[in-house]
Amino acid sequence: MQEFSDFLRHKCAYVAIATFKPGKFPEAQKLFEEAVATYNKGFKGAYLFQKPNTDEGIAFIIWEKIEDMEENQGETYQKIMGEMKHLFASPPETDFYELSTEIKP
């Protein structure tokens, strides 16, 4: 049976908005997919959007709670992020958002 406190908990999203060096989006996408494949506890889904005909993207990674994201940043994840660093045209803007509304079909 679910506890009442479970209903008070809200999923959160780590959001990163980035511009990559010209032609580097496909490489960044591959590394994003590799990093996401390392996630487990608390991971609820990931989305990577690309603005058409540009090297601009937005990543949404959904977590049960922020602490779960921190627990999933192991050695393999850190290595992948290190490989991705040189692909950015400038440092990405990042932030956390709490889910306030969820509408499913």
Side-chain angles (χ1 to χ4, degrees):
M1 182 172 191
Q2 283 187 312
E3 298 281 331
F4 178 71
S5 62
D6 291 343
F7 293 103
L8 299 176
R9 196 172 354 152
H10 299 282
K11 294 178 196 167
C12 66
Y14 171 78
V15 179
I17 302 170
T19 300
F20 295 94
K21 293 177 182 172
K24 296 297 182 181
F25 192 92
E27 187 177 348
Q29 179 179 1
K30 179 183 172 291
L31 291 169
F32 173 82
E33 292 167 0
E34 288 177 20
V36 168
T38 69
Y39 300 154
N40 50 51
K41 181 180 181 244
F43 174 65
K44 297 298 179 186
Y47 304 88
L48 179 62
F49 296 89
Q50 180 180 13
K51 187 184 236 181
N53 304 311
T54 73
D55 287 297
E56 296 175 38
I58 301 175
F60 293 89
I61 304 172
I62 313 300
W63 297 98
E64 190 65 40
K65 57 186 188 242
I66 292 173
E67 295 79 17
D68 292 333
M69 185 185 107
E70 295 164 358
E71 289 181 30
N72 280 280
Q73 294 182 354
E75 187 177 321
T76 303
Y77 169 86
Q78 294 298 333
K79 180 180 177 282
I80 294 167
M81 289 296 103
E83 292 175 33
M84 189 182 286
K85 247 180 167 174
H86 78 279
L87 302 176
F88 293 107
S90 59
E93 293 179 40
T94 62
D95 216 332
F96 287 96
Y97 292 83
E98 188 176 87
L99 178 68
S100 59
T101 303
E102 182 174 11
I103 302 171
K104 296 182 180 182

